């Protein structure tokens, strides 16, 4: 017997795609169960711990939303690039650069500003510009020098991460930090409005609004139409009179700006100060989220929330069951694998042939 | 020299859309160079892939040294002493020459002694006058040198039957001369060579016998000493039954396209179009004939702005910018590229969107760039589906699921139906189409001519050129070698020019 892959004659239906995604999550959960089992714990209890707090209680729900925000921003950032088949995995670096720029603005450039109506939009702009610049570099290198954007975005992530490390350990270390590598706290006028005590803040609503903006952009504009054309076939893009090089740069810049705004929102909305490792790899999880959402901006909101719940739940696991929270990273990895595998099943039929 | 080493009888290979080999007979004698000549798509590579075990023939026999064999894989082929150099090399770029040669060897043991391999390589390169540096990394050496490494790989395992698929396509004339010398050396040592090509001159230079394929059939087999370029060109292009179409008389008026001293580079950075000048007037079809690979692709892409060039191109007296497609679209230039799947259609997008790919660049369409709902293109696309009789189950069908003929109709509908082009650049517009679709394309082009469009037709099929054009220019090695009349009485003259013989 031999296995043969045959191309499907039709596009997979929406339902089939949804089921495939669901199945991928289930497979990843089963694998996760084995890992938990090997740690000597009951997987079912662990699953319950994983979701019960983040979904079942009001403070937990708010916490999940707070965790969703950076994931949603970075997922939307990579989504735009993925639409054009540009493998931007630089959301992490763009996110960090956004946080850096916001901190720079809040603590060093304009420390005397007191009007939040002016200050906060200014910081948002700064975060977007910094993220955009971090997307612009690989974009230009891809468009004009043919440098693979996977490598350049990945490497720029490290530049950004170490830049933040340098600043927080060195020149930007706060005066009241007891020698911990954290900057001073943002002034009150640079902080997003907070609603209640759970951490619910304006940034969450901006991130959801951004998802709708991205939906508009990719579905209902000339830009989105050209994105689809160039994403399907770059040469046809050129043939249709689209300036493909400009488009590549624009797409990377926009993705970077959105991720950069995410970094700013994390500072102004949640952490209020820059510190090393303030991101547990949001920009990498974003790649998985964008895929799981099949590059649909609205689905991205839901999937980001799901990952927010997991992130919160993993802390619960650690707290109550002494299971390392990095287990979620293992889950993410397995999930990405099963998602990629499901792509094959969506586009090919499997046939058994007698040889 | 009379011993037959390879014999193919009645080889048939069908693909879903065409018959690539139709009862092909072919034989190879010891120590000879047997050329397989034919246009692209004639079935040469398919036939050789069958010999090399990449494809399996639907029917027919393969005999090696008189014995019937079943070649099920390239590995089997190598065991039978067959070696093939494909157009795309199979070398590992980060390995050096010695390592690449060693890769395919079986008897090296677990820890290979590469110095032995290297010594042998040096011996072979001396014996066959092949200059290679055994220590050079593949990525550092030129395509010509990489080809020599492939040859050494074959010589190392003592292949007796060597298949070279379009080996000179990537070579400079000097390198080609070197290759020929190596081939002569190899045959002198008892190897037999099958030389695949569509270039008449080199085939005449290197081969002992020539077999011509056309549309998957053997047209004839001749001794090289008993033939000439003229006869070969005729065999290659051939006569066939074509649909007669009504060719309206030329009412050529104002000059639309003017090309002056155009120089274009190919992807390898070599000059492919070397100073071409011509013009096309309104209501006229200029046919550009020529054997493929003489600069047609580069010429058409340059004219449409998808490739940079030196020289001037003017449309209706206005000079258009090199490498700027928008400039062409604004001046009502339509383009029907030779590879519609790769260059003109988004396979993953539905038909109705493919019909409007130029929604924002075409001067005849106005859409709001800030509120554009692609789904609203569905109903206007129905008109094109009807006018161009595109047969598809729905406008939502993705373009990649269309047949070749319907794909071409989508391209025509978009390029011609959407606006009234002043200039149409059509490259191999009927390649791979069935007779019905071919006729449709001809009629569309002739309607446009009658309407007053200037048409530049670049085609390989001479009868297509005769059927449609008012003047014929022949492109040879990137230059227009001469003009002729689209008339069968000029077939011989055109054939000779296609082979590079000046009037």
């Amino acid at each position: 017997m031999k296995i043969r892959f045959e191309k499907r004659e039709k596009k997979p239906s929406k339902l089939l795609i949804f089921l495939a995604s669901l199945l991928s999550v289930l497979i990843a959960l089963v694998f996760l169960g084995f890992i938990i089992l090997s740690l000597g714990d009951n997987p079912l209890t662990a699953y319950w711990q994983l979701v019960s707090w983040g979904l079942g209680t009001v403070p937990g729900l708010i916490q999940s939303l707070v965790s969703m925000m950076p994931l949603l921003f970075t997922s939307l950032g990579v989504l735009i690039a993925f639409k054009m088949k540009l493998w931007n995995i630089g959301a992490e670096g763009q996110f960090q650069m956004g946080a850096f720029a916001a901190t720079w603005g809040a603590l060093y450039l304009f420390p005397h500003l007191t009007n939040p109506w002016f200050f906060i939009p200014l910081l948002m702009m700064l975060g977007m510009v910094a993220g955009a610049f971090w997307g612009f570099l690989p974009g230009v290198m891809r468009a004009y020098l043919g440098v693979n954007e996977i490598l350049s975005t990945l490497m720029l992530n490290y530049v950004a991460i170490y830049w933040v490390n340098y600043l927080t350990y060195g020149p930007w270390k706060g005066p009241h930090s007891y020698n911990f590598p954290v900057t001073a706290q943002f002034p009150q006028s640079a902080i997003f409005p907070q609603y209640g005590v759970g951490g619910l803040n304006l940034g969450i609503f901006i991130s959801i609004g951004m998802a709708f903006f991205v939906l508009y952009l990719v579905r209902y504009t000339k830009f989105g139409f050209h994105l689809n054309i160039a994403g399907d076939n770059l040469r046809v893009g050129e043939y249709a009179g689209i300036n493909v090089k400009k488009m590549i740069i624009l797409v990377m810049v926009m993705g970077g700006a959105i991720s950069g705004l995410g970094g700013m929102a994390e500072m102004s909305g949640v952490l209020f100060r820059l510190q090393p490792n303030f991101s547990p790899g949001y920009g990498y999880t974003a790649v998985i989220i964008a895929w799981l959402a099949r590059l649909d901006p609205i689905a991205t909101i839901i999937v980001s929330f799901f990952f927010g719940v997991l992130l919160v739940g993993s802390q619960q696991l650690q707290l109550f069951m002494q299971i390392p929270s990095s287990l979620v990273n293992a889950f993410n990895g397995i999930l990405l694998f099963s998602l990629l595998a499901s792509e094959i099943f969506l586009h090919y039929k499997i046939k058994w042939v007698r040889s | 020299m009379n011993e037959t080493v390879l014999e193919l009888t009645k080889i048939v290979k069908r693909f879903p859309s065409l018959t690539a080999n139709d009862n092909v007979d072919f034989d190879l004698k010891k120590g000879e160079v047997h050329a397989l000549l034919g246009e692209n798509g004639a079935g040469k590579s398919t036939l050789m892939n069958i010999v090399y075990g990449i494809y399996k023939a639907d029917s027919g026999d393969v005999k090696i040294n008189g014995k019937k064999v079943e070649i099920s894989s390239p590995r089997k082929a190598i065991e039978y002493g067959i070696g093939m150099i494909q157009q795309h090399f199979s070398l590992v770029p980060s390995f050096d020459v010695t390592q690449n040669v060693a890769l395919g060897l079986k008897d090296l043991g677990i820890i290979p002694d590469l110095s032995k391999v290297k010594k042998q390589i040096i011996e072979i390169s001396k014996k066959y006058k092949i200059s290679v540096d055994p220590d050079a990394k593949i990525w550092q050496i030129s395509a010509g040198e990489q080809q020599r490494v492939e040859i050494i790989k074959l010589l190392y395992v003592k292949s007796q039957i060597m298949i070279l698929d379009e080996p000179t396509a990537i070579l400079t004339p000097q390198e080609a001369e070197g290759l020929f010398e190596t081939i002569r050396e190899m045959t002198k040592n008892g190897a037999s060579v099958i030389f695949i090509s569509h270039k008449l001159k080199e085939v005449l230079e290197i081969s002992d016998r020539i077999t011509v394929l056309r549309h998957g059939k053997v047209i004839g087999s001749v001794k090289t000493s008993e033939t000439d370029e003229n006869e070969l060109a005729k065999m290659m292009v051939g006569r066939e039954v074509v649909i007669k179409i009504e060719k309206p008389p030329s009412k050529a008026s104002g000059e639309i396209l003017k090309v002056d001293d155009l120089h274009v580079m190919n992807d390898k950075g070599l000059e492919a179009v070397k100073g071409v000048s011509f013009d096309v007037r309104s209501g006229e079809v200029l046919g550009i004939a020529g054997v493929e690979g003489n600069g047609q692709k580069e010429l058409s892409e340059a004219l449409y702005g998808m490739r940079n060039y030196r020289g001037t191109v003017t449309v209706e007296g206005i000079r258009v910018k090199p490498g700027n497609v928008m400039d062409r679209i604004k001046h009502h230039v339509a383009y029907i590229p030779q590879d519609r799947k790769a260059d003109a259609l988004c396979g993953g997008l539905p038909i109705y969107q493919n019909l409007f790919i130029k929604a924002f660049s075409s001067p005849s369409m106005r859409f709001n760039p800030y509120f554009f709902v692609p789904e609203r293109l569905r109903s206007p696309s129905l008109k094109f589906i009807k006018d161009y009789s595109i047969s598809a189950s729905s406008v939502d069908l993705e373009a990649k699921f269309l047949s070749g003929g319907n794909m071409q109709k989508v391209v025509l509908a978009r390029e011609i139906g959407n606006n009234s082009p002043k200039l149409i650049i059509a490259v191999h517009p009927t390649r791979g189409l069935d007779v019905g679709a071919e006729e449709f394309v001809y009629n569309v082009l002739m309607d446009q001519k009658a309407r007053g469009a200037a048409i530049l037709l670049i085609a390989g099929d001479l009868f297509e050129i005769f059927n449609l054009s008012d003047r014929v220019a022949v492109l040879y090695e990137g230059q227009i070698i001469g003009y002729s009349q689209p008339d069968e009485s000029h077939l011989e003259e055109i054939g000779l020019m296609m082979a590079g013989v000046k009037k």
Side-chain angles (χ1 to χ4, degrees):
Chain A
M1 295 282 266
K2 262 191 197 164
I3 304 176
R4 216 171 63 199
F5 290 90
E6 264 180 29
K7 231 178 160 85
R8 286 181 194 269
E9 309 220 322
K10 270 195 185 150
K11 202 163 74 162
S13 70
K14 288 222 165 92
L15 181 70
L16 194 66
I17 293 173
F18 176 73
L19 289 177
S21 306
L22 202 65
L23 191 68
S24 304
V25 174
L26 286 178
I27 289 172
L29 277 175
V30 169
F31 271 98
L32 190 70
F34 280 116
I35 300 174
I36 294 168
L37 214 54
S38 75
L39 293 169
D41 286 297
N42 184 344
L44 293 178
T45 347
Y47 291 155
W48 178 245
Q49 284 286 351
L50 206 51
V51 293
S52 60
W53 170 258
L55 282 177
T57 66
V58 174
L61 214 58
I62 291 174
Q63 244 182 308
S64 299
L65 284 170
V66 170
S67 298
M68 173 198 79
M69 182 192 74
L71 291 170
L72 182 51
F73 273 120
T74 45
S75 304
L76 294 169
V78 296
L79 180 147
I80 291 188
F82 286 180
K83 279 258 176 201
M84 204 178 153
K85 297 211 176 84
L86 287 170
W87 308 119
N88 171 17
I89 45 175
E92 181 70 19
Q94 292 146 8
F95 180 79
Q96 301 239 358
M97 288 311 280
F100 145 73
T103 310
W104 191 27
L107 298 180
Y108 297 95
L109 285 182
F110 318 105
H112 45 277
L113 283 181
T114 49
N115 182 354
W117 290 100
F118 178 67
F119 203 6
I120 286 179
L122 184 71
L123 293 181
M124 289 170 71
M125 286 298 296
L126 269 179
M128 284 168 70
V129 168
F133 179 65
W134 230 235
F136 173 78
L137 292 176
V140 167
M141 290 197 289
R142 166 67 202 270
Y144 290 98
L145 303 170
V147 176
N148 185 321
E149 74 280 2
I150 300 179
L151 297 177
S152 56
T153 51
L154 184 64
M155 289 193 284
L156 280 173
N157 285 346
Y158 291 100
V159 177
I161 290 168
Y162 286 112
W163 174 237
V164 166
N165 281 1
Y166 162 72
L167 290 172
T168 47
Y169 277 101
W172 281 11
K173 195 189 282 176
H176 309 297
S177 68
Y178 302 103
N179 218 22
F180 278 109
V182 290
T183 63
Q185 189 163 346
F186 277 31
Q188 198 54 44
S189 53
I191 287 176
F192 274 155
Q194 305 279 318
Y195 313 104
V197 287
L200 198 64
N201 68 80
L202 180 67
I204 294 167
F205 301 103
I206 296 178
S207 71
I208 293 171
M210 182 59 85
F212 283 94
F213 177 70
V214 171
L215 175 76
Y216 158 74
L217 205 62
V218 300
R219 286 284 300 280
Y220 300 113
T221 62
K222 168 186 168 182
F223 171 79
F225 189 55
H226 285 183
L227 195 64
N228 272 331
I229 293 170
D232 188 89
N233 189 332
L234 220 53
R235 270 187 77 81
V236 175
E238 235 178 289
Y239 169 93
I242 301 168
N243 187 337
V244 173
K245 288 193 165 89
K246 211 173 95 189
M247 190 92 179
I248 289 175
I249 297 170
L250 190 64
V251 161
M252 292 297 290
V253 162
M254 290 197 348
I258 295 173
S259 295
L261 181 61
M264 178 273 170
E266 185 74 355
M267 287 297 111
S268 280
V270 184
L271 295 174
F272 317 134
R273 48 159 61 94
L274 190 63
Q275 61 193 64
N277 309 320
F278 71 98
S279 155
Y282 292 129
Y284 297 115
T285 310
V287 175
I288 304 168
I289 294 173
W291 267 123
L292 197 58
R294 307 283 163 179
L295 309 187
D296 180 291
I298 301 309
T300 302
I301 304 178
I302 298 160
V303 179
S304 296
F305 178 71
F306 166 74
F307 273 80
V309 170
L310 281 187
L311 215 57
V312 171
S314 70
Q315 286 150 15
Q316 296 294 310
L317 274 186
Q318 184 155 336
L319 226 56
F320 294 108
M321 294 179 74
Q322 281 76 48
I323 295 173
S325 67
S326 54
L327 204 65
V328 166
N329 291 341
F331 172 76
N332 287 354
I334 302 164
L335 180 55
L336 185 59
F337 269 114
S338 38
L339 268 179
L340 292 175
S342 78
E343 283 288 301
I344 296 178
F345 293 105
L346 282 176
H347 295 285
Y348 292 88
K349 281 187 290 199
I350 313 291
K351 277 209 168 166
W352 296 87
V353 276
R354 283 170 193 287
S355 56
Chain B
M1 173 111 183
N2 285 323
E3 204 180 315
T4 302
V5 288
L6 174 73
E7 195 179 352
L8 308 177
T9 37
K10 300 221 174 308
I11 297 285
V12 178
K13 177 71 189 173
R14 286 190 198 89
F15 289 114
S17 54
L18 79 162
T19 304
N21 290 144
D22 191 355
N23 282 303
V24 172
D25 294 331
F26 184 87
D27 67 302
L28 181 68
K29 297 202 165 70
K30 194 173 169 63
E32 79 164 345
V33 178
H34 192 159
L36 203 49
L37 185 70
E39 290 217 285
N40 279 355
K44 302 167 301 206
S45 293
T46 306
L47 187 66
M48 287 306 116
N49 280 329
I50 289 170
V51 175
Y52 196 54
I54 292 171
Y55 291 149
K56 198 176 177 308
D58 295 334
S59 66
D61 290 334
V62 179
K63 278 187 195 163
I64 289 175
N65 296 323
K67 260 188 279 172
K68 198 181 152 189
V69 294
E70 186 88 33
I71 303 175
S72 53
S73 67
R75 164 171 284 217
K76 267 271 165 58
I78 293 165
E79 275 172 32
Y80 287 122
I82 302 170
M84 180 161 175
I85 299 179
Q86 313 250 3
Q87 284 178 47
H88 301 282
F89 300 143
S90 34
L91 297 169
V92 183
S94 56
F95 281 12
D96 66 31
V97 170
T98 310
Q99 286 167 328
N100 267 286
V101 173
L103 262 184
L105 305 176
K106 278 194 205 145
D107 49 358
L108 275 179
I110 295 170
I111 301 161
D113 182 6
L114 288 182
S115 62
K116 248 201 228 152
V117 179
K118 188 172 154 185
K119 232 168 76 191
Q120 280 240 34
I121 292 176
I122 294 170
E123 258 170 49
I124 291 172
S125 63
K126 270 194 196 133
K127 185 171 170 194
Y128 291 95
K129 298 175 194 151
I130 306 170
S131 73
V132 287
D133 171 6
D135 297 320
K137 296 254 194 284
I138 296 299
W139 62 270
Q140 292 173 316
I141 62 182
S142 73
E145 281 172 280
Q146 292 181 15
Q147 186 181 63
R148 295 202 280 276
V149 178
E150 288 278 18
I151 292 174
I152 290 203
K153 271 165 74 181
L154 300 192
L155 291 169
Y156 197 101
V157 296
K158 303 198 168 60
S159 295
Q160 286 306 302
I161 300 168
M162 305 198 191
I163 306 166
L164 310 182
D165 193 356
E166 306 259 358
T168 57
I170 49 144
L171 300 182
T172 65
Q174 292 78 7
E175 281 177 324
E177 207 39 62
L179 171 70
F180 291 166
E181 218 164 284
T182 305
I183 292 177
R184 285 185 200 111
E185 208 59 46
M186 294 191 305
T187 50
K188 220 187 280 171
N189 282 285
S192 316
V193 174
I194 302 173
F195 188 93
I196 305 178
S197 179
H198 61 240
K199 294 183 187 160
L200 300 171
K201 254 197 191 148
E202 61 184 40
V203 160
L204 284 167
E205 184 181 344
I206 188 66
S207 67
D208 301 303
R209 274 195 303 157
I210 300 166
T211 292
V212 182
L213 279 184
R214 191 171 75 231
H215 295 321
K217 288 193 185 106
V218 173
I219 299 304
S221 225
V222 287
K223 279 205 173 118
T224 308
S225 51
E226 292 165 6
T227 187
D228 56 20
E229 292 184 24
N230 190 8
E231 188 191 13
L232 288 176
K234 241 191 224 163
M235 284 168 77
M236 234 171 108
V237 178
R239 281 159 200 278
E240 48 195 349
V241 193
V242 279
I243 356 131
K244 262 286 164 214
I245 54 136
E246 194 81 16
K247 180 154 91 182
S250 171
K251 294 177 295 184
S253 52
E255 183 181 276
I256 300 280
L257 173 71
K258 185 167 171 58
V259 177
D260 193 30
D261 195 28
L262 192 76
H263 295 262
V264 191
M265 300 287 186
N266 65 14
D267 291 337
K268 285 169 209 112
L270 302 171
E271 197 173 29
V273 177
K274 304 165 184 163
V276 161
S277 307
F278 60 87
D279 53 65
V280 191
R281 284 170 295 168
S282 166
E284 174 196 56
V285 180
L286 173 66
I288 294 199
V291 176
E292 200 160 323
N294 277 289
Q296 288 93 333
K297 179 173 179 272
E298 289 78 10
L299 174 64
S300 57
E301 287 179 0
L303 290 179
Y304 187 64
M306 287 182 76
R307 194 179 276 273
N308 243 316
Y309 57 81
R310 275 190 300 123
T312 56
V313 176
T314 55
V315 179
E316 282 197 303
I318 300 159
R319 189 166 165 174
V320 288
K321 292 185 215 106
N324 188 331
V325 175
M326 266 313 274
D327 223 14
R328 274 58 175 188
I329 298 176
K330 260 193 308 200
H331 286 99
H332 301 271
V333 177
Y335 181 43
I336 300 160
Q338 69 176 28
D339 189 346
R340 43 191 168 266
K341 256 194 220 161
D343 289 353
L345 290 169
C346 284
L349 296 189
I351 296 170
Y352 74 87
Q353 292 190 13
N354 268 290
L355 284 166
F356 286 93
I357 275 174
K358 291 184 172 172
F360 290 99
S361 36
S362 166
S364 59
M365 278 185 274
R366 284 264 170 275
F367 289 103
N368 181 352
Y370 303 108
F371 193 74
F372 176 72
V373 184
E375 284 74 16
R376 288 196 192 145
L377 298 172
R378 276 208 191 94
S379 55
S381 70
L382 288 172
K383 183 179 166 294
F384 292 124
I385 303 258
K386 197 169 135 268
D387 287 357
Y388 283 80
S389 49
I390 297 164
S391 61
S393 52
S394 121
V395 290
D396 291 325
L397 190 74
E398 290 178 33
K400 67 178 170 208
F401 297 120
L402 286 173
S403 70
N406 281 308
M407 280 186 188
Q408 192 70 316
K409 285 177 181 173
V410 171
V411 176
L412 287 173
R414 179 180 66 222
E415 292 301 299
I416 290 165
N418 264 347
N419 45 21
S420 321
K422 295 203 168 110
L423 169 68
I424 301 169
I425 304 167
V427 190
H428 301 296
T430 62
R431 171 168 291 176
L433 301 190
D434 59 43
V435 180
E438 197 173 294
E439 194 173 0
F440 188 88
V441 173
Y442 288 165
N443 285 328
V444 168
L445 289 177
M446 286 303 102
D447 285 351
Q448 290 303 309
K449 173 187 160 182
R451 198 185 51 78
I455 300 178
L456 180 71
L457 172 73
I458 299 178
D461 185 345
L462 272 187
F463 284 84
E464 182 161 308
I465 293 220
F466 287 166
N467 268 329
L468 299 178
S469 40
D470 303 307
R471 284 188 297 149
V472 186
V474 179
L475 197 64
Y476 176 76
E477 292 194 340
Q479 285 175 318
I480 289 184
I481 192 169
Y483 285 87
S484 184
Q485 294 306 308
D487 189 319
E488 288 188 25
S489 59
H490 291 83
L491 180 65
E492 195 176 322
E493 179 191 60
I494 293 173
L496 276 176
M497 286 198 283
M498 282 168 72
V501 182
K502 276 196 181 140
K503 265 200 266 190

